[in-house]
Amino acid sequence: MLKHFPIISFVFLGVALSCGAAEWPMFRGGPALRGVADGTLAAKPELLWTFKTQGPVRSSAAIVGARVFIGSNDRNLYALDFATGGKIWAFTNSGAIESSPLVFDGKVFVGSANASLYALDAAAGKQIWRYETGEKILGAPNWFVANGRTNILIGSYDFRLHCVDAATGRSNWVYETGNYINGSPAIADGLTAFGGCDGILHVVALTNGSLASSNEIGAPIAASVALADGRAYFGHYENQFVCADLKTGSNAWAFRDREFPYFSSPAITKDRVIFGGRDKMLHCVNRSDGKSIWSFATRGKVDSSPAVCGDKVVVGSDDGRIYLVSLTDGKELWSYEIGKPIDSSPAVADGKIVIGCDDGNVYCFGAKPDKK
Protein backbone atom coordinates (compact mmCIF):
# COMPACT_ATOMS: atom_id res chain seq x y z
CA MET A 1 0.00 0.00 0.00
CA LEU A 2 1.08 3.55 -0.56
CA LYS A 3 2.08 5.47 2.54
CA HIS A 4 1.12 9.11 2.17
CA PHE A 5 3.15 12.10 3.25
CA PRO A 6 2.42 15.78 2.61
CA ILE A 7 3.28 16.75 -0.95
CA ILE A 8 5.31 19.93 -1.10
CA SER A 9 4.05 22.42 -3.66
CA PHE A 10 6.24 23.64 -6.48
CA VAL A 11 6.49 27.01 -8.18
CA PHE A 12 6.98 25.94 -11.80
CA LEU A 13 7.57 22.67 -13.56
CA GLY A 14 8.15 22.40 -17.29
CA VAL A 15 7.93 18.93 -18.81
CA ALA A 16 7.23 17.59 -22.27
CA LEU A 17 5.01 14.52 -22.17
CA SER A 18 5.61 13.58 -25.79
CA CYS A 19 8.23 14.45 -28.35
CA GLY A 20 7.92 15.95 -31.79
CA ALA A 21 7.93 13.77 -34.90
CA ALA A 22 11.54 14.70 -35.70
CA GLU A 23 12.96 14.36 -32.17
CA TRP A 24 13.37 11.79 -29.40
CA PRO A 25 15.41 13.81 -26.89
CA MET A 26 15.76 11.25 -24.11
CA PHE A 27 15.07 7.72 -22.89
CA ARG A 28 11.40 6.85 -23.60
CA GLY A 29 10.90 10.14 -25.45
CA GLY A 30 9.88 12.48 -22.61
CA PRO A 31 10.06 13.02 -18.82
CA ALA A 32 7.00 10.85 -18.02
CA LEU A 33 8.81 7.97 -19.82
CA ARG A 34 5.74 6.89 -21.78
CA GLY A 35 7.59 5.58 -24.84
CA VAL A 36 5.26 7.08 -27.47
CA ALA A 37 6.45 8.87 -30.62
CA ASP A 38 4.56 11.10 -33.01
CA GLY A 39 4.38 10.34 -36.72
CA THR A 40 4.20 7.01 -38.52
CA LEU A 41 6.50 4.11 -39.41
CA ALA A 42 6.76 2.27 -42.70
CA ALA A 43 5.16 -1.17 -42.70
CA LYS A 44 8.43 -2.71 -43.95
CA PRO A 45 11.35 -0.54 -42.82
CA GLU A 46 14.71 -0.94 -44.54
CA LEU A 47 18.18 -0.70 -43.09
CA LEU A 48 19.39 2.84 -43.78
CA TRP A 49 22.80 2.78 -42.05
CA THR A 50 24.92 1.20 -39.35
CA PHE A 51 27.66 2.62 -37.15
CA LYS A 52 30.30 0.37 -35.58
CA THR A 53 31.56 0.91 -32.03
CA GLN A 54 34.10 -1.21 -30.17
CA GLY A 55 31.76 -2.63 -27.52
CA PRO A 56 28.16 -3.69 -26.89
CA VAL A 57 25.62 -0.88 -27.34
CA ARG A 58 23.10 -1.15 -24.50
CA SER A 59 22.47 2.57 -24.30
CA SER A 60 19.36 3.85 -26.05
CA ALA A 61 19.59 6.76 -28.46
CA ALA A 62 18.47 10.36 -28.22
CA ILE A 63 17.67 12.11 -31.51
CA VAL A 64 17.79 15.92 -31.65
CA GLY A 65 18.80 18.45 -34.30
CA ALA A 66 19.44 15.86 -37.05
CA ARG A 67 21.88 14.05 -34.75
CA VAL A 68 21.82 10.73 -32.91
CA PHE A 69 23.44 10.59 -29.47
CA ILE A 70 24.19 7.14 -28.05
CA GLY A 71 26.61 5.48 -25.65
CA SER A 72 28.67 2.30 -25.93
CA ASN A 73 30.44 -0.04 -23.56
CA ASP A 74 33.61 1.02 -25.38
CA ARG A 75 33.56 4.05 -23.02
CA ASN A 76 32.38 6.53 -25.65
CA LEU A 77 29.33 8.69 -26.17
CA TYR A 78 28.83 9.25 -29.90
CA ALA A 79 27.12 11.98 -31.89
CA LEU A 80 26.14 10.66 -35.32
CA ASP A 81 24.56 12.21 -38.38
CA PHE A 82 20.90 11.10 -38.36
CA ALA A 83 20.78 10.93 -42.15
CA THR A 84 23.96 8.94 -42.80
CA GLY A 85 25.24 7.50 -39.51
CA GLY A 86 28.55 9.29 -39.95
CA LYS A 87 30.45 10.15 -36.76
CA ILE A 88 30.36 13.83 -35.81
CA TRP A 89 32.19 13.50 -32.49
CA ALA A 90 32.97 11.04 -29.72
CA PHE A 91 33.41 11.78 -26.03
CA THR A 92 35.62 9.28 -24.19
CA ASN A 93 35.55 8.64 -20.45
CA SER A 94 36.88 5.87 -18.17
CA GLY A 95 33.72 3.77 -17.91
CA ALA A 96 31.13 1.99 -20.07
CA ILE A 97 28.16 4.15 -21.06
CA GLU A 98 24.96 2.11 -20.78
CA SER A 99 23.02 5.17 -19.63
CA SER A 100 20.87 6.75 -22.32
CA PRO A 101 21.67 10.40 -23.03
CA LEU A 102 19.36 13.34 -22.42
CA VAL A 103 19.62 16.25 -24.86
CA PHE A 104 18.29 19.57 -23.60
CA ASP A 105 19.05 23.23 -24.27
CA GLY A 106 22.20 22.60 -26.29
CA LYS A 107 23.66 20.14 -23.79
CA VAL A 108 23.93 16.36 -23.57
CA PHE A 109 23.65 14.76 -20.13
CA VAL A 110 24.71 11.15 -19.65
CA GLY A 111 25.75 8.81 -16.86
CA SER A 112 28.71 6.44 -16.83
CA ALA A 113 29.82 3.26 -15.10
CA ASN A 114 32.68 5.37 -13.68
CA ALA A 115 30.15 6.86 -11.21
CA SER A 116 29.88 10.19 -13.03
CA LEU A 117 27.15 12.28 -14.63
CA TYR A 118 28.50 14.39 -17.50
CA ALA A 119 27.21 17.54 -19.15
CA LEU A 120 28.61 18.00 -22.65
CA ASP A 121 28.25 20.62 -25.33
CA ALA A 122 25.93 19.03 -27.90
CA ALA A 123 27.60 20.76 -30.83
CA ALA A 124 31.19 19.66 -30.21
CA GLY A 125 31.07 17.04 -27.43
CA LYS A 126 33.27 19.07 -25.05
CA GLN A 127 32.81 18.49 -21.31
CA ILE A 128 31.06 21.33 -19.47
CA TRP A 129 30.96 19.74 -16.04
CA ARG A 130 31.19 16.40 -14.25
CA TYR A 131 29.21 15.37 -11.17
CA GLU A 132 30.43 12.36 -9.20
CA THR A 133 28.21 9.87 -7.37
CA GLY A 134 29.37 7.05 -5.14
CA GLU A 135 28.85 4.22 -7.63
CA LYS A 136 28.10 3.44 -11.27
CA ILE A 137 25.21 4.98 -13.20
CA LEU A 138 23.32 2.71 -15.60
CA GLY A 139 19.98 4.53 -15.86
CA ALA A 140 19.17 7.61 -17.92
CA PRO A 141 18.95 11.18 -16.60
CA ASN A 142 15.69 13.14 -16.56
CA TRP A 143 14.96 16.86 -16.23
CA PHE A 144 12.55 19.40 -14.78
CA VAL A 145 12.34 23.16 -14.29
CA ALA A 146 11.54 24.65 -10.88
CA ASN A 147 11.84 28.29 -9.83
CA GLY A 148 13.13 29.11 -13.29
CA ARG A 149 16.10 26.73 -13.05
CA THR A 150 16.64 23.51 -14.96
CA ASN A 151 17.50 20.47 -12.86
CA ILE A 152 18.82 17.03 -13.81
CA LEU A 153 17.76 13.87 -11.94
CA ILE A 154 19.90 10.74 -11.98
CA GLY A 155 19.81 7.48 -10.03
CA SER A 156 22.98 5.65 -9.03
CA TYR A 157 24.18 2.36 -7.62
CA ASP A 158 25.20 4.40 -4.56
CA PHE A 159 21.52 3.95 -3.47
CA ARG A 160 20.79 7.66 -4.10
CA LEU A 161 18.74 9.82 -6.42
CA HIS A 162 20.69 12.99 -7.20
CA CYS A 163 19.21 16.34 -8.23
CA VAL A 164 21.85 18.46 -9.98
CA ASP A 165 21.76 22.01 -11.33
CA ALA A 166 21.89 21.70 -15.13
CA ALA A 167 23.97 24.85 -15.57
CA THR A 168 26.63 24.28 -12.92
CA GLY A 169 26.64 20.57 -12.02
CA ARG A 170 26.20 21.41 -8.34
CA SER A 171 23.98 19.26 -6.13
CA ASN A 172 20.58 20.68 -5.18
CA TRP A 173 19.44 17.72 -3.10
CA VAL A 174 19.98 13.99 -2.66
CA TYR A 175 17.36 11.36 -1.79
CA GLU A 176 18.58 8.10 -0.26
CA THR A 177 17.06 4.64 -0.82
CA GLY A 178 17.95 1.20 0.49
CA ASN A 179 19.66 -0.31 -2.57
CA TYR A 180 20.72 0.16 -6.20
CA ILE A 181 18.73 2.44 -8.51
CA ASN A 182 18.75 0.86 -11.97
CA GLY A 183 16.24 2.83 -14.03
CA SER A 184 15.51 6.40 -14.94
CA PRO A 185 13.28 8.46 -12.63
CA ALA A 186 9.95 9.39 -14.25
CA ILE A 187 8.61 12.93 -13.84
CA ALA A 188 5.05 14.31 -13.84
CA ASP A 189 2.86 16.62 -11.74
CA GLY A 190 5.67 17.97 -9.56
CA LEU A 191 6.80 14.49 -8.54
CA THR A 192 9.35 11.91 -9.56
CA ALA A 193 8.68 8.18 -9.26
CA PHE A 194 11.21 5.37 -9.48
CA GLY A 195 11.97 1.91 -8.13
CA GLY A 196 15.13 0.06 -7.25
CA CYS A 197 16.61 -3.06 -5.78
CA ASP A 198 15.14 -2.17 -2.37
CA GLY A 199 11.73 -3.27 -3.69
CA ILE A 200 10.05 0.09 -3.08
CA LEU A 201 8.29 2.49 -5.42
CA HIS A 202 9.57 5.89 -4.28
CA VAL A 203 7.52 9.02 -5.02
CA VAL A 204 9.52 12.15 -4.28
CA ALA A 205 8.70 15.87 -4.37
CA LEU A 206 10.83 17.68 -6.92
CA THR A 207 11.18 20.90 -4.93
CA ASN A 208 13.36 19.51 -2.15
CA GLY A 209 13.66 15.73 -2.52
CA SER A 210 11.30 14.90 0.33
CA LEU A 211 9.34 11.65 0.26
CA ALA A 212 5.75 12.16 -0.91
CA SER A 213 4.69 8.51 -0.78
CA SER A 214 6.08 5.00 -1.02
CA ASN A 215 4.80 1.62 -2.10
CA GLU A 216 6.29 -1.52 -0.54
CA ILE A 217 6.50 -3.82 -3.56
CA GLY A 218 8.71 -6.41 -1.91
CA ALA A 219 10.66 -7.26 -5.07
CA PRO A 220 13.47 -5.49 -6.93
CA ILE A 221 12.33 -3.04 -9.62
CA ALA A 222 14.91 -3.08 -12.42
CA ALA A 223 12.93 -1.19 -15.05
CA SER A 224 12.01 2.47 -15.27
CA VAL A 225 8.54 3.52 -14.16
CA ALA A 226 6.15 5.27 -16.58
CA LEU A 227 3.67 7.89 -15.32
CA ALA A 228 0.26 8.80 -16.74
CA ASP A 229 -2.74 10.50 -15.12
CA GLY A 230 -1.70 9.92 -11.53
CA ARG A 231 -0.70 6.30 -11.99
CA ALA A 232 2.69 4.56 -12.11
CA TYR A 233 3.24 1.55 -14.38
CA PHE A 234 6.17 -0.85 -13.89
CA GLY A 235 7.23 -4.48 -13.69
CA HIS A 236 9.37 -6.16 -11.04
CA TYR A 237 11.53 -9.17 -10.34
CA GLU A 238 8.79 -11.29 -8.75
CA ASN A 239 6.95 -11.83 -12.04
CA GLN A 240 4.32 -9.09 -11.83
CA PHE A 241 3.59 -5.92 -13.75
CA VAL A 242 1.88 -3.34 -11.51
CA CYS A 243 -0.25 -0.22 -11.91
CA ALA A 244 -0.06 1.88 -8.73
CA ASP A 245 -2.65 4.64 -8.28
CA LEU A 246 -0.91 7.61 -6.69
CA LYS A 247 -4.20 9.39 -5.98
CA THR A 248 -6.04 6.70 -4.02
CA GLY A 249 -3.02 5.14 -2.32
CA SER A 250 -3.62 1.64 -3.63
CA ASN A 251 -2.55 -0.64 -6.46
CA ALA A 252 -5.11 -0.34 -9.23
CA TRP A 253 -4.21 -3.71 -10.74
CA ALA A 254 -1.45 -6.28 -11.17
CA PHE A 255 -0.74 -8.44 -14.21
CA ARG A 256 0.83 -11.88 -13.85
CA ASP A 257 1.28 -14.37 -16.63
CA ARG A 258 4.11 -16.88 -16.26
CA GLU A 259 6.86 -17.05 -13.64
CA PHE A 260 9.30 -14.67 -15.30
CA PRO A 261 10.40 -11.17 -14.20
CA TYR A 262 9.93 -7.91 -16.08
CA PHE A 263 12.97 -5.74 -16.86
CA SER A 264 11.40 -3.85 -19.78
CA SER A 265 9.89 -0.39 -19.24
CA PRO A 266 6.35 0.11 -20.57
CA ALA A 267 4.92 2.21 -23.36
CA ILE A 268 1.68 3.94 -22.35
CA THR A 269 -1.04 4.91 -24.82
CA LYS A 270 -4.48 6.34 -24.02
CA ASP A 271 -5.93 2.88 -23.40
CA ARG A 272 -3.08 0.34 -23.50
CA VAL A 273 0.17 -0.59 -21.75
CA ILE A 274 2.84 -2.48 -23.69
CA PHE A 275 5.90 -4.08 -22.09
CA GLY A 276 8.38 -6.91 -22.60
CA GLY A 277 9.15 -9.83 -20.29
CA ARG A 278 11.81 -12.41 -19.64
CA ASP A 279 9.13 -14.92 -20.67
CA LYS A 280 10.21 -14.00 -24.26
CA MET A 281 6.92 -12.17 -24.77
CA LEU A 282 5.76 -8.68 -25.61
CA HIS A 283 2.56 -8.03 -23.67
CA CYS A 284 -0.26 -5.57 -24.31
CA VAL A 285 -2.81 -5.03 -21.53
CA ASN A 286 -5.77 -2.77 -20.95
CA ARG A 287 -4.63 0.40 -19.20
CA SER A 288 -7.73 0.59 -16.99
CA ASP A 289 -7.74 -2.94 -15.52
CA GLY A 290 -4.56 -4.76 -16.64
CA LYS A 291 -6.44 -7.44 -18.59
CA SER A 292 -4.49 -8.98 -21.45
CA ILE A 293 -5.34 -7.73 -24.94
CA TRP A 294 -2.64 -9.64 -26.81
CA SER A 295 0.83 -11.10 -26.43
CA PHE A 296 3.53 -11.56 -29.04
CA ALA A 297 6.14 -14.31 -28.76
CA THR A 298 9.80 -13.73 -29.59
CA ARG A 299 12.59 -16.30 -29.28
CA GLY A 300 14.43 -14.60 -26.43
CA LYS A 301 13.87 -12.49 -23.34
CA VAL A 302 12.59 -8.96 -23.98
CA ASP A 303 14.47 -6.51 -21.76
CA SER A 304 14.29 -3.87 -24.51
CA SER A 305 11.56 -1.29 -23.84
CA PRO A 306 9.00 -0.98 -26.65
CA ALA A 307 8.15 2.25 -28.43
CA VAL A 308 4.75 3.01 -29.93
CA CYS A 309 4.46 5.07 -33.10
CA GLY A 310 0.99 5.41 -34.61
CA ASP A 311 -0.52 1.95 -35.01
CA LYS A 312 2.78 0.11 -34.59
CA VAL A 313 5.02 -1.12 -31.76
CA VAL A 314 8.77 -1.61 -32.18
CA VAL A 315 10.98 -3.57 -29.78
CA GLY A 316 14.22 -5.54 -29.64
CA SER A 317 14.74 -9.04 -28.25
CA ASP A 318 17.53 -11.16 -26.85
CA ASP A 319 16.97 -13.44 -29.84
CA GLY A 320 18.87 -10.90 -31.96
CA ARG A 321 15.87 -9.51 -33.80
CA ILE A 322 14.08 -6.19 -33.91
CA TYR A 323 10.32 -6.54 -34.33
CA LEU A 324 7.52 -4.33 -35.61
CA VAL A 325 4.08 -5.50 -34.51
CA SER A 326 0.54 -4.19 -34.84
CA LEU A 327 -0.69 -2.18 -31.86
CA THR A 328 -4.21 -3.41 -32.61
CA ASP A 329 -3.72 -7.17 -32.43
CA GLY A 330 -0.02 -7.89 -31.82
CA LYS A 331 0.54 -9.51 -35.21
CA GLU A 332 4.07 -9.36 -36.59
CA LEU A 333 4.42 -6.85 -39.41
CA TRP A 334 8.18 -7.00 -39.93
CA SER A 335 11.37 -8.21 -38.30
CA TYR A 336 15.08 -7.84 -38.95
CA GLU A 337 17.63 -10.37 -37.75
CA ILE A 338 20.84 -8.86 -36.40
CA GLY A 339 21.99 -12.03 -34.67
CA LYS A 340 23.16 -10.74 -31.28
CA PRO A 341 21.06 -9.82 -28.21
CA ILE A 342 19.35 -6.41 -28.24
CA ASP A 343 19.11 -4.83 -24.78
CA SER A 344 18.97 -1.30 -26.18
CA SER A 345 15.52 0.26 -26.51
CA PRO A 346 14.35 1.80 -29.79
CA ALA A 347 14.33 5.55 -30.34
CA VAL A 348 11.80 6.71 -32.93
CA ALA A 349 11.82 10.04 -34.77
CA ASP A 350 10.93 11.29 -38.25
CA GLY A 351 9.68 7.86 -39.29
CA LYS A 352 12.99 6.19 -38.41
CA ILE A 353 14.06 3.68 -35.76
CA VAL A 354 17.48 3.82 -34.09
CA ILE A 355 18.61 0.98 -31.85
CA GLY A 356 21.86 -0.45 -30.49
CA CYS A 357 22.93 -4.09 -30.26
CA ASP A 358 25.37 -6.24 -28.31
CA ASP A 359 27.29 -6.75 -31.59
CA GLY A 360 28.66 -3.23 -31.11
CA ASN A 361 26.63 -1.57 -33.85
CA VAL A 362 24.03 1.18 -33.95
CA TYR A 363 21.30 0.52 -36.53
CA CYS A 364 18.90 2.91 -38.25
CA PHE A 365 15.80 1.67 -40.07
CA GLY A 366 13.17 3.53 -42.05
CA ALA A 367 11.65 4.10 -45.45
CA LYS A 368 14.18 4.54 -48.25
CA PRO A 369 14.21 8.18 -49.42
CA ASP A 370 12.70 8.83 -52.84
CA LYS A 371 15.25 9.24 -55.61
CA LYS A 372 14.88 12.50 -57.51
Side-chain angles (χ1 to χ4, degrees), residues 9 73 82 110 131 133 154 157 161 169-170 182 185 205 251 269 290 292-293 296:
S9 62
N73 281 30
F82 190 23
V110 69
Y131 174 86
T133 68
I154 192 76
Y157 268 49
L161 180 73
R170 296 190 182 97
N182 298 282
N251 287 346
T269 73
S292 179
I293 297 173
F296 171 77

Side-chain angles (χ1 to χ4, degrees), residues 45-47 320-323 334-339 342 363 365:
E46 298 183 57
L47 180 64
R321 294 173 173 84
I322 180 171
Y323 292 94
W334 167 87
S335 67
Y336 185 94
E337 185 172 1
I338 296 172
I342 301 172
Y363 293 83
F365 301 92

